[in-house]
C-alpha cells in the first residue's frame, strides 16, 4: 500500500534540523510541569527516550545541546558559536533546540510503537545511504567535517530514518482503498477532466516575408497535392519542425499556436488552403488534413487513475490529522528551561507563530495545514553542504485532490503516496 506520508516537505538533514515525518492518534496522558534542572535544556516526560549524545532518559542536557549548537554553527560556516549578544546566536540556538527535540520525539515515537531496528538493518541502510551519496571515502569524510558530525551521529540519524519508515508502514495500513461507488461518483462529478481535446493534423508554411507567404498561398491554391506541399514547404517555409515534411504537423491541439493563427486553424474546414494569416511573429499559410473530434474517456478507462488519486487525497487528509495529533502530544510533555523556551515547549508562554499563517491566501493556508500540521515546525535555514544527505525526501507531483487530466502532459506522474522516507538522496 502506498504510504500515508506523501508529498511531505519534511526532511531529516545530516547537518541540519531533523523534522519529524511521523504522526499519531492522540492519547490521554498525564500532563505535568516537571522542573528543568539548571544543567539541562529540556525535559520530555518519557524516560524511555535515549539517543546517545542528544537525549538521555528524556532529558536534553546543556552538554548535549552545546554539541548540537556547535554543529549548527559549523553548518553555517562558522568556526565557533557566536556570543549570546550576537543576533545570530538566537537563530542558531532555536535551530539546535529544534533538532534536539525532533531527534528525541522520533526516538520516543519509536518506543511508543515498539519499533526495533536491528544492527543488520542499520548497517544496510547506512551503506546504501553512503554509496548513493558519496563516490569515495574521502568525500564522505569531508562531509562529516563540513557538517560537524561524527560517524556515530550519522548512524543515529540513519536509525531514526529506519524507525520513521517502519512507523509510516504501520500508519498506512489504516488507510482504506476508495470504494467503487466513490470512484464512480467522482467521475460523474468531474467528467470534464477526462475530456481529450480536439486534435488536428495540418500542413503549415511559415515565413516572416509576407510576399513569400503570398507566393506560397498562390502556388498551393492552384495545387494543394501532398507533392506540391512538399515542394513549396521546402522552398518557402522557415518552420524547422515541418519544412522538410511537406509542412505536416500532427496531433495539434488548441493553444498550440499564437493568435489569431490558433483560432483560424480550429475554425477551418478540411482540405482547403487558408491564409495568409498575419501574427506578431510572422505570416502563415495552412491546410487542415484531418480532424479528430473531442472525446471523453470512459469510467473504465480512468478508473485506476481515479482510485489512485482519491487514495492519495485520503492519505493526505489522514496525515494532516495525525500530524497535528503527533505534534500536540509531544509538545504537551516537553518542558524547556527558561532560557530555551520555544513554542514547541508546553511551558512556552510567549506568542506562538499563527498556524495557519493568516497572511497567506486561503489555498496556501490549507496547504500549510496539510503539509505541516499545527503548530508548524521551526524552519531550518542552515545551508546544505555539497553531498549532504536528506533522509526524508518530498515526492513531486500535482495536487492530490483530483486526478491528473488526461493529455495534460506526456511525462509519467510521480506515484501518489510515495513514502518520502523510502529513499535517501543527495541534496547538495
Amino acid at each position: 500500500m502506498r504510504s500515508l506520508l506523501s508529498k511531505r516537505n519534511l526532511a531529516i538533514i545530516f547537518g541540519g534540523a531533523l523534522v519529524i515525518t511521523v504522526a499519531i492518534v492522540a492519547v490521554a496522558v498525564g500532563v505535568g510541569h516537571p522542573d528543568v534542572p539548571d544543567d539541562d535544556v529540556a525535559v520530555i516526560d518519557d524516560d524511555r527516550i535515549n539517543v546517545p549524545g542528544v537525549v538521555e532518559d528524556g532529558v536534553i542536557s546543556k552538554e548535549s545541546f552545546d554539541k548540537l549548537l556547535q554543529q549548527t554553527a559549523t553548518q553555517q560556516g562558522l568556526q565557533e558559536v557566536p556570543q549570546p549578544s550576537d543576533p545570530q546566536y538566537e537563530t542558531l540556538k532555536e535551530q539546535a533546540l529544534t533538532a534536539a527535540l525532533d531527534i528525541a520525539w522520533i526516538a520516543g515515537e519509536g518506543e511508543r510503537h515498539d519499533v526495533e531496528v536491528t544492527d543488520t538493518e542499520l548497517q544496510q541502510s547506512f551503506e546504501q545511504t553512503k554509496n548513493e551519496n558519496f563516490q569515495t571515502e574521502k568525500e564522505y569524510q569531508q562531509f562529516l567535517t563540513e557538517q560537524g558530525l561524527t560517524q556515530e551521529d550519522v548512524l543515529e540519524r540513519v536509525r531514526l530514518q529506519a524507525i520513521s519508515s517502519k512507523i509510516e508502514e504501520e500508519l498506512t495500513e489504516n488507510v482504506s482503498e476508495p470504494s467503487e461507488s466513490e470512484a464512480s461518483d467522482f467521475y460523474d462529478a468531474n467528467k470534464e477532466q477526462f475530456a481529450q481535446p480536439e486534435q488536428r493534423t495540418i500542413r503549415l508554411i511559415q515565413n516572416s516575408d509576407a510576399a513569400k507567404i503570398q507566393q506560397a498561398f498562390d502556388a498551393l491554391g492552384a495545387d494543394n497535392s501532398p507533392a506540391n506541399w512538399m515542394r513549396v514547404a521546402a522552398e518557402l517555409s522557415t518552420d524547422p519542425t515541418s519544412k522538410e515534411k511537406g509542412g505536416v504537423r500532427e496531433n495539434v491541439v488548441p493553444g498550440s499556436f499564437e493568435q489569431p493563427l490558433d483560432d483560424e486553424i480550429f475554425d477551418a474546414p478540411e482540405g482547403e488552403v487558408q491564409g495568409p494569416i498575419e501574427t506578431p511573429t510572422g505570416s502563415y499559410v495552412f491546410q487542415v488534413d484531418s480532424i479528430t473530434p473531442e472525446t471523453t474517456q470512459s469510467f473504465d478507462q480512468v478508473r485506476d487513475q481515479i482510485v489512485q488519486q482519491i487514495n492519495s487525497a485520503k492519505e493526505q487528509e489522514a496525515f494532516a490529522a495525525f500530524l497535528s495529533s503527533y505534534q500536540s502530544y509531544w509538545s504537551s510533555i516537553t518542558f524547556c528551561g527558561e532560557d530555551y523556551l520555544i513554542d514547541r515547549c508546553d511551558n512556552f508562554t510567549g506568542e506562538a507563530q499563527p498556524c495557519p499563517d493568516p497572511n497567506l491566501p486561503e489555498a496556501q493556508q490549507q496547504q500549510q495545514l496539510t503539509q505541516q500540521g499545527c503548530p508548524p515546525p521551526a524552519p531550518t535555514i542552515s545551508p546544505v553542504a555539497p553531498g549532504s544527505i536528506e533522509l526524508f525526501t518530498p515526492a513531486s507531483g500535482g495536487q492530490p485532490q483530483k486526478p491528473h487530466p488526461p493529455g495534460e502532459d506526456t511525462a509519467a506522474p510521480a506515484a501518489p503516496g510515495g513514502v518520502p522516507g523510502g529513499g535517501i538522496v543527495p541534496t547538495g
Side-chain angles (χ1 to χ4, degrees), residues 31 66 76 104 130 160 184 191 202 206 239 255 274 303 341 352 365 369 371 416:
V31 179
D66 287 343
Q76 295 283 356
K130 185 177 177 182
L160 294 170
S184 179
K191 195 171 291 187
I202 67 171
Q206 172 186 353
D239 177 23
Q274 305 289 319
R303 180 190 176 282
L341 288 170
Q365 291 187 40
L369 285 169
Q371 294 186 345

Side-chain angles (χ1 to χ4, degrees), residues 23-28 109 112-113 171 174 321-323 325-326 329:
I24 61 170
V25 178
V27 297
E109 193 65 16
R112 297 186 71 220
H113 285 258
L171 292 174
N174 296 323
F322 284 134
L323 182 57
S325 296
Y326 166 83
Y329 171 78

Side-chain angles (χ1 to χ4, degrees), residues 196-201 251 290-295:
Q196 298 281 12
E198 177 184 327
Q199 297 183 6
R200 295 193 169 201
T201 295
N251 302 323
S290 65
I291 300 173
T292 302
E294 177 181 333
T295 60

Side-chain angles (χ1 to χ4, degrees), residues 35 83 125 138 155 163 198 209 326 338 348 385 409:
D35 293 332
Q83 293 298 314
S125 295
K138 182 179 179 180
L155 288 174
I163 290 173
E198 177 184 327
D209 189 334
Y326 166 83
E338 183 177 352
F348 175 77
D409 57 51

Side-chain angles (χ1 to χ4, degrees), residues 363-412:
Q364 292 185 25
Q365 291 187 40
Q366 184 59 42
Q367 184 181 37
Q368 184 179 27
L369 285 169
T370 302
Q371 294 186 345
Q372 296 180 332
C374 285
T380 298
I381 61 174
S382 56
V384 180
S388 63
I389 301 170
E390 188 172 289
L391 286 176
F392 293 89
T393 309
S396 62
Q399 294 298 322
Q401 289 80 6
K402 61 183 180 182
H404 184 74
E408 183 174 292
D409 57 51
T410 57

